[in-house]
Coordinates of all heavy atoms in Angstrom, one line a residue:
M1 N 0.8 -1.2 0.0 CA 0.0 0.0 0.0 C 0.9 1.2 0.0 O 2.0 1.2 0.6 CB -0.9 0.0 1.3 CG -2.0 -0.8 1.2 SD -3.1 -0.4 2.6 CE -4.4 -1.4 2.2
S2 N 0.4 2.3 -0.6 CA 1.1 3.5 -0.6 C 0.2 4.7 -0.2 O -1.0 4.6 -0.3 CB 1.7 3.8 -1.9 OG 0.7 4.0 -2.9
W3 N 0.8 5.7 0.4 CA 0.0 6.9 0.8 C 0.2 8.0 -0.2 O 1.3 8.1 -0.7 CB 0.6 7.3 2.2 CG 0.2 6.4 3.3 CD1 0.6 5.2 3.6 CD2 -0.7 6.8 4.4 NE1 0.0 4.7 4.7 CE2 -0.8 5.7 5.2 CE3 -1.4 7.9 4.7 CZ2 -1.6 5.7 6.4 CZ3 -2.2 8.0 5.8 CH2 -2.3 6.8 6.7
G4 N -0.8 8.8 -0.4 CA -0.7 9.9 -1.2 C -0.3 11.1 -0.4 O -0.5 11.2 0.8
V5 N 0.4 12.1 -1.1 CA 0.8 13.3 -0.4 C 0.4 14.5 -1.2 O 0.4 14.5 -2.4 CB 2.3 13.3 -0.1 CG1 3.1 13.2 -1.4 CG2 2.8 14.5 0.7
D6 N -0.1 15.5 -0.5 CA -0.5 16.8 -1.1 C 0.3 17.9 -0.4 O 0.8 17.7 0.7 CB -2.0 17.1 -1.0 CG -2.8 16.0 -1.7 OD1 -2.6 15.8 -2.9 OD2 -3.7 15.4 -1.0
F7 N 0.3 19.1 -1.0 CA 1.0 20.2 -0.4 C 0.1 21.4 -0.5 O -0.6 21.7 -1.5 CB 2.3 20.6 -1.2 CG 3.4 19.6 -1.2 CD1 3.3 18.5 -2.0 CD2 4.4 19.7 -0.3 CE1 4.4 17.5 -2.0 CE2 5.4 18.8 -0.2 CZ 5.4 17.7 -1.1
T8 N 0.1 22.2 0.6 CA -0.6 23.5 0.6 C 0.2 24.5 -0.2 O 1.4 24.2 -0.4 CB -0.9 24.0 2.0 OG1 0.4 24.3 2.6 CG2 -1.7 23.1 2.8
T9 N -0.4 25.6 -0.6 CA 0.4 26.6 -1.3 C 1.5 27.1 -0.3 O 2.6 27.4 -0.8 CB -0.6 27.8 -1.7 OG1 -1.6 27.2 -2.5 CG2 0.2 28.9 -2.4
R10 N 1.2 27.2 0.9 CA 2.2 27.7 1.9 C 3.4 26.8 1.9 O 4.5 27.2 1.9 CB 1.5 27.8 3.3 CG 2.5 27.8 4.5 CD 2.8 29.2 4.9 NE 3.9 29.2 5.9 CZ 3.7 29.3 7.2 NH1 2.5 29.4 7.7 NH2 4.8 29.3 8.0
A11 N 3.1 25.4 2.0 CA 4.2 24.5 2.0 C 5.1 24.6 0.8 O 6.3 24.5 0.8 CB 3.7 23.1 2.2
R12 N 4.4 24.7 -0.4 CA 5.2 24.9 -1.6 C 6.1 26.1 -1.6 O 7.2 26.1 -2.0 CB 4.3 24.9 -2.8 CG 3.6 23.6 -3.1 CD 2.8 23.7 -4.4 NE 2.0 22.5 -4.6 CZ 2.4 21.4 -5.2 NH1 3.7 21.4 -5.6 NH2 1.7 20.4 -5.3
S13 N 5.6 27.2 -1.0 CA 6.3 28.4 -0.9 C 7.5 28.3 0.1 O 8.6 28.8 -0.2 CB 5.4 29.6 -0.4 OG 4.4 29.9 -1.4
D14 N 7.3 27.5 1.1 CA 8.3 27.3 2.1 C 9.5 26.5 1.5 O 10.6 26.6 2.0 CB 7.8 26.5 3.3 CG 6.8 27.3 4.1 OD1 6.8 28.6 4.0 OD2 6.0 26.7 4.9
L15 N 9.3 25.7 0.5 CA 10.3 25.0 -0.2 C 11.3 25.8 -1.0 O 12.4 25.5 -1.2 CB 9.7 23.9 -1.1 CG 9.1 22.7 -0.3 CD1 8.3 21.9 -1.3 CD2 10.1 21.9 0.4
V16 N 10.8 27.0 -1.5 CA 11.5 27.8 -2.4 C 12.8 28.4 -1.6 O 12.6 28.9 -0.5 CB 10.7 29.0 -2.9 CG1 11.5 30.0 -3.7 CG2 9.5 28.5 -3.7
G17 N 13.9 28.2 -2.2 CA 15.1 28.8 -1.6 C 15.8 27.9 -0.6 O 16.9 28.3 -0.1
L18 N 15.3 26.8 -0.2 CA 15.9 25.9 0.7 C 17.2 25.3 0.1 O 17.2 25.0 -1.1 CB 15.0 24.8 1.2 CG 13.9 25.1 2.2 CD1 13.1 23.8 2.5 CD2 14.5 25.7 3.4
P19 N 18.2 25.1 0.9 CA 19.4 24.5 0.3 C 19.1 23.1 -0.2 O 18.2 22.4 0.3 CB 20.4 24.4 1.5 CG 19.9 25.4 2.5 CD 18.4 25.5 2.3
S20 N 19.8 22.6 -1.2 CA 19.5 21.3 -1.8 C 19.6 20.1 -0.8 O 18.8 19.2 -0.9 CB 20.5 21.0 -2.9 OG 21.8 21.0 -2.5
D21 N 20.5 20.2 0.2 CA 20.5 19.1 1.2 C 19.2 19.0 2.0 O 18.8 17.9 2.4 CB 21.7 19.2 2.1 CG 21.7 20.5 3.0 OD1 21.3 21.6 2.5 OD2 22.2 20.4 4.1
L22 N 18.6 20.2 2.3 CA 17.3 20.1 3.1 C 16.2 19.7 2.2 O 15.3 18.9 2.6 CB 17.0 21.5 3.7 CG 18.0 21.9 4.8 CD1 17.6 23.3 5.3 CD2 18.0 20.9 5.9
N23 N 16.2 20.1 0.9 CA 15.2 19.6 0.0 C 15.3 18.1 -0.1 O 14.3 17.4 -0.1 CB 15.4 20.3 -1.4 CG 14.6 21.5 -1.5 OD1 13.4 21.6 -1.1 ND2 15.2 22.6 -2.0
E24 N 16.5 17.6 -0.2 CA 16.7 16.1 -0.3 C 16.2 15.4 0.9 O 15.6 14.3 0.8 CB 18.1 15.8 -0.6 CG 18.6 16.2 -2.0 CD 20.1 15.9 -2.3 OE1 20.6 15.0 -1.6 OE2 20.6 16.6 -3.1
A25 N 16.5 16.0 2.1 CA 16.0 15.4 3.3 C 14.5 15.3 3.4 O 13.9 14.3 3.9 CB 16.6 16.1 4.5
I26 N 13.8 16.4 2.9 CA 12.4 16.4 2.9 C 11.8 15.4 2.0 O 10.9 14.6 2.3 CB 11.9 17.8 2.5 CG1 12.2 18.8 3.6 CG2 10.4 17.8 2.2 CD1 12.0 20.3 3.2
V27 N 12.4 15.3 0.8 CA 12.0 14.3 -0.2 C 12.2 12.9 0.3 O 11.3 12.0 0.2 CB 12.7 14.5 -1.6 CG1 12.5 13.3 -2.5 CG2 12.2 15.8 -2.2
D28 N 13.3 12.6 0.9 CA 13.6 11.3 1.5 C 12.5 10.9 2.6 O 12.0 9.8 2.6 CB 15.0 11.2 2.2 CG 16.1 11.3 1.1 OD1 15.8 11.1 -0.1 OD2 17.2 11.5 1.5
A29 N 12.2 11.9 3.4 CA 11.2 11.6 4.5 C 9.8 11.3 3.8 O 9.1 10.4 4.2 CB 11.1 12.8 5.4
L30 N 9.4 12.1 2.9 CA 8.1 12.0 2.2 C 8.0 10.7 1.5 O 7.0 10.0 1.5 CB 7.8 13.2 1.3 CG 7.7 14.5 2.1 CD1 7.4 15.6 1.1 CD2 6.6 14.5 3.2
V31 N 9.1 10.3 0.8 CA 9.1 9.0 0.1 C 8.9 7.8 1.1 O 8.1 6.9 0.9 CB 10.4 8.8 -0.7 CG1 10.5 7.4 -1.2 CG2 10.4 9.8 -1.9
T32 N 9.6 7.9 2.2 CA 9.4 6.9 3.3 C 8.0 6.9 3.8 O 7.4 5.8 4.0 CB 10.4 7.1 4.4 OG1 11.7 7.0 3.9 CG2 10.2 6.1 5.5
W33 N 7.4 8.0 4.1 CA 6.1 8.1 4.6 C 5.1 7.6 3.5 O 4.0 7.0 3.9 CB 5.7 9.5 5.0 CG 6.6 10.1 6.0 CD1 7.6 9.5 6.8 CD2 6.5 11.4 6.5 NE1 8.1 10.4 7.7 CE2 7.5 11.6 7.6 CE3 5.7 12.5 6.2 CZ2 7.7 12.7 8.3 CZ3 6.0 13.7 6.9 CH2 6.9 13.8 7.9
A34 N 5.3 7.9 2.3 CA 4.4 7.4 1.2 C 4.4 5.9 1.2 O 3.3 5.3 0.8 CB 4.8 8.0 -0.1
R35 N 5.5 5.3 1.5 CA 5.5 3.8 1.6 C 4.9 3.2 2.8 O 4.2 2.3 2.8 CB 7.0 3.3 1.5 CG 7.5 3.2 0.1 CD 8.8 2.5 0.1 NE 9.7 3.4 -0.6 CZ 10.9 3.7 -0.2 NH1 11.4 3.2 0.9 NH2 11.7 4.5 -0.9
N36 N 5.3 3.8 4.0 CA 4.9 3.2 5.3 C 3.9 4.0 6.1 O 3.5 3.5 7.1 CB 6.2 3.2 6.2 CG 7.3 2.5 5.5 OD1 7.1 1.5 4.8 ND2 8.5 3.0 5.6
G37 N 3.4 5.1 5.6 CA 2.5 6.0 6.4 C 3.3 6.9 7.2 O 4.4 6.7 7.6
P38 N 2.8 8.1 7.4 CA 3.5 9.2 8.1 C 3.5 8.9 9.6 O 2.6 8.2 10.1 CB 2.7 10.4 7.8 CG 1.3 10.0 7.5 CD 1.5 8.6 6.9
P39 N 4.5 9.3 10.3 CA 4.5 9.2 11.8 C 3.4 10.0 12.4 O 3.1 11.1 11.9 CB 5.9 9.7 12.2 CG 6.3 10.5 11.1 CD 5.7 10.1 9.9
L40 N 2.8 9.5 13.5 CA 1.7 10.2 14.1 C 2.1 10.8 15.5 O 1.3 10.8 16.4 CB 0.5 9.3 14.3 CG 0.0 8.7 12.9 CD1 -1.1 7.8 13.2 CD2 -0.4 9.9 12.0
E41 N 3.4 11.2 15.6 CA 3.9 11.8 16.8 C 3.8 13.3 16.8 O 3.5 13.9 15.8 CB 5.3 11.3 17.0 CG 5.5 9.8 17.1 CD 6.8 9.3 16.6 OE1 7.6 10.1 16.2 OE2 7.0 8.1 16.7
N42 N 4.0 13.9 17.9 CA 4.0 15.4 18.1 C 2.8 16.0 17.5 O 2.8 16.9 16.6 CB 5.3 16.0 17.4 CG 6.6 15.4 17.9 OD1 6.7 15.2 19.1 ND2 7.5 15.1 17.1
S43 N 1.6 15.5 18.0 CA 0.4 16.0 17.4 C -0.1 17.2 18.2 O 0.1 17.4 19.4 CB -0.7 14.9 17.4 OG -1.0 14.5 18.7
R44 N -0.9 18.1 17.5 CA -1.5 19.2 18.1 C -2.9 19.4 17.4 O -3.0 19.0 16.3 CB -0.7 20.5 17.8 CG 0.6 20.5 18.5 CD 1.3 21.8 18.3 NE 2.6 21.7 18.9 CZ 3.7 22.1 18.4 NH1 3.7 22.5 17.2 NH2 4.9 21.9 19.0
T45 N -3.8 20.0 18.1 CA -5.1 20.2 17.5 C -5.4 21.7 17.5 O -5.2 22.4 18.6 CB -6.2 19.5 18.3 OG1 -5.9 18.1 18.2 CG2 -7.6 19.8 17.6
M46 N -5.7 22.3 16.4 CA -6.0 23.7 16.2 C -7.3 23.8 15.4 O -7.3 23.2 14.3 CB -4.9 24.4 15.6 CG -5.0 25.9 15.5 SD -3.7 26.8 14.7 CE -2.3 25.8 14.6
L47 N -8.3 24.5 15.9 CA -9.5 24.7 15.1 C -10.1 23.3 14.6 O -10.5 23.1 13.5 CB -9.3 25.6 13.9 CG -8.9 27.0 14.2 CD1 -8.5 27.7 12.9 CD2 -9.9 27.7 15.0
E48 N -10.1 22.3 15.5 CA -10.6 21.0 15.3 C -9.8 20.2 14.2 O -10.3 19.2 13.7 CB -12.1 21.0 15.0 CG -12.9 21.6 16.1 CD -14.4 21.6 15.8 OE1 -14.9 20.7 15.0 OE2 -15.1 22.4 16.4
I49 N -8.7 20.7 13.9 CA -7.8 19.9 12.9 C -6.6 19.5 13.7 O -5.9 20.2 14.3 CB -7.4 20.8 11.7 CG1 -8.6 21.3 10.9 CG2 -6.4 20.1 10.8 CD1 -8.3 22.3 9.9
T50 N -6.3 18.2 13.6 CA -5.1 17.6 14.2 C -4.0 17.6 13.2 O -4.2 17.1 12.1 CB -5.4 16.2 14.8 OG1 -6.4 16.3 15.8 CG2 -4.2 15.6 15.4
F51 N -2.9 18.1 13.6 CA -1.7 18.1 12.7 C -0.5 17.6 13.5 O -0.6 17.5 14.8 CB -1.4 19.4 12.0 CG -1.0 20.5 12.9 CD1 0.3 20.7 13.2 CD2 -1.9 21.3 13.6 CE1 0.8 21.8 14.0 CE2 -1.5 22.3 14.4 CZ -0.2 22.6 14.6
H52 N 0.5 17.2 12.8 CA 1.7 16.6 13.4 C 2.9 17.4 12.9 O 2.8 18.0 11.8 CB 1.9 15.2 13.1 CG 0.7 14.3 13.3 ND1 0.4 13.8 14.5 CD2 -0.4 14.0 12.5 CE1 -0.7 13.1 14.5 NE2 -1.2 13.3 13.3
E53 N 4.0 17.4 13.7 CA 5.2 18.1 13.2 C 6.3 17.0 13.3 O 6.5 16.4 14.4 CB 5.6 19.3 14.0 CG 4.8 20.5 13.6 CD 5.4 21.8 14.2 OE1 5.6 21.8 15.4 OE2 5.6 22.8 13.4
A54 N 7.1 16.9 12.3 CA 8.3 16.0 12.3 C 9.5 16.9 12.1 O 9.5 17.8 11.3 CB 8.1 15.0 11.2
T55 N 10.6 16.5 12.7 CA 11.9 17.2 12.5 C 12.6 16.6 11.3 O 12.7 15.4 11.2 CB 12.8 17.0 13.8 OG1 12.1 17.5 14.9 CG2 14.1 17.7 13.6
I56 N 13.1 17.4 10.5 CA 13.8 17.0 9.3 C 15.2 17.6 9.4 O 15.4 18.8 9.5 CB 13.1 17.6 8.0 CG1 11.6 17.2 7.9 CG2 13.9 17.2 6.7 CD1 11.4 15.7 7.7
A57 N 16.2 16.7 9.2 CA 17.6 17.1 9.2 C 18.0 17.9 10.4 O 18.9 18.8 10.3 CB 18.0 17.8 7.9
D58 N 17.4 17.8 11.5 CA 17.6 18.5 12.8 C 17.5 20.0 12.6 O 18.0 20.8 13.5 CB 19.0 18.2 13.3 CG 19.1 16.7 13.9 OD1 18.1 16.3 14.4 OD2 20.2 16.1 13.7
R59 N 17.0 20.5 11.5 CA 16.9 21.9 11.2 C 15.5 22.5 10.9 O 15.3 23.7 11.0 CB 17.8 22.3 10.1 CG 19.3 22.1 10.5 CD 20.3 22.3 9.3 NE 20.1 23.5 8.7 CZ 20.7 23.8 7.5 NH1 21.5 22.9 6.9 NH2 20.6 25.0 6.9
L60 N 14.6 21.6 10.5 CA 13.3 22.0 10.1 C 12.2 21.3 10.8 O 12.4 20.1 11.2 CB 13.1 21.8 8.6 CG 14.1 22.4 7.6 CD1 13.8 22.0 6.2 CD2 13.9 23.9 7.7
L61 N 11.1 21.9 10.9 CA 9.8 21.2 11.4 C 8.9 21.2 10.2 O 8.6 22.3 9.6 CB 9.2 22.0 12.6 CG 10.0 21.9 13.8 CD1 9.4 22.8 14.9 CD2 10.1 20.5 14.3
L62 N 8.4 20.1 9.9 CA 7.4 19.9 8.8 C 6.1 19.5 9.4 O 6.0 18.5 10.1 CB 7.9 18.8 7.8 CG 7.2 18.6 6.6 CD1 8.1 18.1 5.5 CD2 6.1 17.5 6.7
A63 N 5.1 20.3 9.2 CA 3.8 20.1 9.7 C 2.9 19.4 8.7 O 2.9 19.8 7.5 CB 3.1 21.4 10.2
Y64 N 2.1 18.5 9.1 CA 1.2 17.8 8.2 C 0.0 17.2 8.9 O 0.0 17.0 10.1 CB 2.0 16.6 7.5 CG 2.6 15.6 8.5 CD1 2.0 14.5 8.9 CD2 3.8 16.0 9.1 CE1 2.5 13.6 9.8 CE2 4.4 15.1 10.1 CZ 3.7 13.9 10.4 OH 4.3 13.1 11.3
A65 N -1.1 17.1 8.1 CA -2.3 16.5 8.6 C -2.5 15.2 7.9 O -2.1 15.0 6.7 CB -3.5 17.4 8.4
V66 N -3.2 14.2 8.6 CA -3.3 12.9 8.0 C -4.8 12.5 7.9 O -5.6 12.8 8.8 CB -2.6 11.9 9.0 CG1 -2.8 10.4 8.5 CG2 -1.1 12.2 9.1
D67 N -5.1 11.9 6.8 CA -6.4 11.3 6.5 C -6.3 9.8 6.4 O -6.0 9.3 5.3 CB -7.1 11.9 5.3 CG -8.5 11.4 5.0 OD1 -8.9 10.4 5.6 OD2 -9.2 12.1 4.2
D68 N -6.4 9.1 7.5 CA -6.2 7.7 7.5 C -7.1 6.9 6.6 O -6.8 6.0 5.9 CB -6.4 7.1 9.0 CG -5.2 7.4 9.9 OD1 -4.0 7.3 9.4 OD2 -5.5 7.9 11.0
S69 N -8.4 7.4 6.6 CA -9.4 6.7 5.8 C -9.1 6.7 4.3 O -9.4 5.7 3.5 CB -10.8 7.2 6.0 OG -10.9 8.5 5.6
R70 N -8.4 7.7 3.8 CA -8.1 7.8 2.4 C -6.6 7.5 2.1 O -6.1 7.6 1.0 CB -8.4 9.3 1.9 CG -9.9 9.5 1.9 CD -10.2 10.9 1.4 NE -9.5 11.3 0.2 CZ -9.1 12.5 -0.1 NH1 -9.2 13.5 0.7 NH2 -8.5 12.7 -1.3
Q71 N -5.8 7.3 3.2 CA -4.4 7.0 3.1 C -3.7 8.2 2.4 O -3.0 8.0 1.4 CB -4.1 5.7 2.5 CG -4.4 4.6 3.5 CD -3.7 3.3 3.1 OE1 -4.3 2.5 2.3 NE2 -2.5 3.1 3.6
R72 N -3.9 9.4 2.9 CA -3.3 10.6 2.3 C -2.9 11.5 3.5 O -3.4 11.5 4.5 CB -4.3 11.4 1.5 CG -4.8 10.6 0.2 CD -5.6 11.5 -0.7 NE -4.7 12.5 -1.4 CZ -3.9 12.1 -2.4 NH1 -3.8 10.9 -2.8 NH2 -3.2 13.0 -3.0
F73 N -1.9 12.3 3.2 CA -1.5 13.3 4.1 C -1.1 14.6 3.4 O -0.8 14.5 2.2 CB -0.3 12.9 5.1 CG 1.0 12.5 4.4 CD1 2.0 13.5 4.2 CD2 1.2 11.2 3.9 CE1 3.2 13.1 3.6 CE2 2.4 10.9 3.2 CZ 3.4 11.8 3.1
V74 N -1.3 15.7 4.0 CA -1.0 17.0 3.4 C 0.0 17.7 4.2 O -0.1 17.8 5.4 CB -2.3 17.8 3.2 CG1 -3.0 18.1 4.6 CG2 -2.0 19.1 2.5
V75 N 1.1 18.2 3.5 CA 2.1 19.0 4.1 C 1.5 20.4 4.2 O 1.2 21.0 3.2 CB 3.4 19.0 3.3 CG1 4.5 19.9 3.9 CG2 3.9 17.6 3.1
L76 N 1.5 20.9 5.5 CA 0.9 22.2 5.7 C 1.9 23.4 5.6 O 1.6 24.4 5.0 CB 0.2 22.2 7.1 CG -0.9 21.1 7.3 CD1 -1.2 21.1 8.8 CD2 -2.1 21.4 6.4
W77 N 3.0 23.2 6.3 CA 4.1 24.2 6.3 C 5.4 23.6 6.7 O 5.4 22.5 7.3 CB 3.7 25.4 7.1 CG 3.6 25.1 8.6 CD1 4.6 25.0 9.5 CD2 2.4 24.9 9.3 NE1 4.2 24.7 10.8 CE2 2.8 24.7 10.7 CE3 1.1 24.9 9.0 CZ2 1.9 24.4 11.7 CZ3 0.2 24.7 10.0 CH2 0.5 24.4 11.3
I78 N 6.5 24.3 6.4 CA 7.8 23.9 6.8 C 8.4 25.1 7.4 O 8.4 26.2 6.8 CB 8.6 23.5 5.5 CG1 7.9 22.3 4.9 CG2 10.0 23.1 5.9 CD1 8.3 22.0 3.4
R79 N 9.0 25.0 8.6 CA 9.7 26.1 9.2 C 11.0 25.7 9.9 O 11.2 24.5 10.1 CB 8.7 26.7 10.3 CG 8.4 25.8 11.4 CD 7.3 26.5 12.3 NE 6.9 25.6 13.4 CZ 7.3 25.7 14.7 NH1 8.1 26.7 15.0 NH2 6.9 24.8 15.6
E80 N 11.8 26.7 10.2 CA 13.0 26.4 10.9 C 12.7 25.9 12.3 O 11.7 26.4 13.0 CB 13.8 27.7 11.1 CG 14.5 28.1 9.8 CD 15.4 29.3 10.0 OE1 16.3 29.3 10.9 OE2 15.2 30.3 9.2
K81 N 13.4 25.0 12.8 CA 13.3 24.4 14.1 C 13.8 25.5 15.1 O 15.0 26.0 14.9 CB 14.0 23.1 14.2 CG 13.8 22.4 15.6 CD 14.6 21.1 15.5 CE 14.5 20.4 16.9 NZ 15.2 19.1 16.9
P82 N 13.1 25.8 16.2 CA 13.6 26.8 17.1 C 15.0 26.3 17.7 O 15.1 25.1 18.0 CB 12.6 26.8 18.2 CG 11.3 26.4 17.5 CD 11.7 25.4 16.5
G83 N 15.9 27.2 17.7 CA 17.2 26.9 18.2 C 18.2 26.3 17.2 O 19.4 26.1 17.5
A84 N 17.7 26.0 16.0 CA 18.5 25.3 15.0 C 19.4 26.4 14.3 O 19.1 27.6 14.3 CB 17.7 24.6 13.9
K85 N 20.5 25.9 13.8 CA 21.4 26.8 13.0 C 20.6 27.5 11.9 O 19.8 26.8 11.2 CB 22.5 26.0 12.5 CG 23.6 26.8 11.7 CD 24.7 25.8 11.3 CE 25.2 26.3 10.0 NZ 26.1 25.3 9.4
R86 N 20.8 28.8 11.8 CA 20.1 29.5 10.7 C 20.4 29.0 9.3 O 21.5 28.6 9.0 CB 20.4 31.0 10.8 CG 20.1 31.7 12.1 CD 18.6 31.9 12.3 NE 18.0 32.7 11.3 CZ 16.8 33.0 11.3 NH1 15.9 32.6 12.2 NH2 16.2 33.8 10.3
L87 N 19.4 29.1 8.4 CA 19.5 28.6 7.1 C 20.3 29.5 6.2 O 20.3 30.6 6.2 CB 18.2 28.3 6.4 CG 17.3 27.3 7.1 CD1 16.0 27.2 6.4 CD2 18.0 25.9 7.1

């Protein structure tokens, strides 16, 4: 089984200008999640929507929401991890 992935406009914008090593780390994580399903750790609920944040390359936080019934997840945004070395 495989999972589908979508991106919000915000997430697509967040990808612009990232160094290639971070882009590769994001792609690697998403490919793994598409095969095995996304991790369901670090969850938060805002406005009745539950989302999760995963650390990527010890420098970024990638937020995503999961639809288990459709086996899809959507990348909501990508931001610098607090305290991480500046990009």
Side-chain angles (χ1 to χ4, degrees):
M1 280 190 173
S2 63
W3 285 69
V5 60
D6 297 306
F7 293 84
T8 62
T9 302
R10 162 95 189 259
R12 289 183 189 278
S13 296
D14 293 341
L15 290 168
V16 174
L18 284 179
S20 61
D21 63 323
L22 293 179
N23 270 315
E24 288 176 27
I26 290 168
V27 168
D28 290 346
L30 296 178
V31 166
T32 299
W33 298 356
R35 274 189 237 134
N36 306 321
L40 300 177
E41 300 151 357
N42 302 320
S43 63
R44 297 187 180 129
T45 301
M46 185 182 343
L47 301 173
E48 298 184 24
I49 297 172
T50 299
F51 67 94
H52 308 273
E53 278 191 316
T55 301
I56 305 292
D58 292 325
R59 292 173 56 191
L60 300 174
L61 291 174
L62 187 147
Y64 55 97
V66 177
D67 183 345
D68 286 314
S69 65
R70 294 178 50 216
Q71 286 196 272
R72 297 191 72 74
F73 61 96
V74 59
V75 178
L76 302 170
W77 64 82
I78 301 162
R79 64 185 176 105
E80 288 184 50
K81 184 177 177 182
K85 183 179 146 188
R86 299 291 297 180
L87 299 177

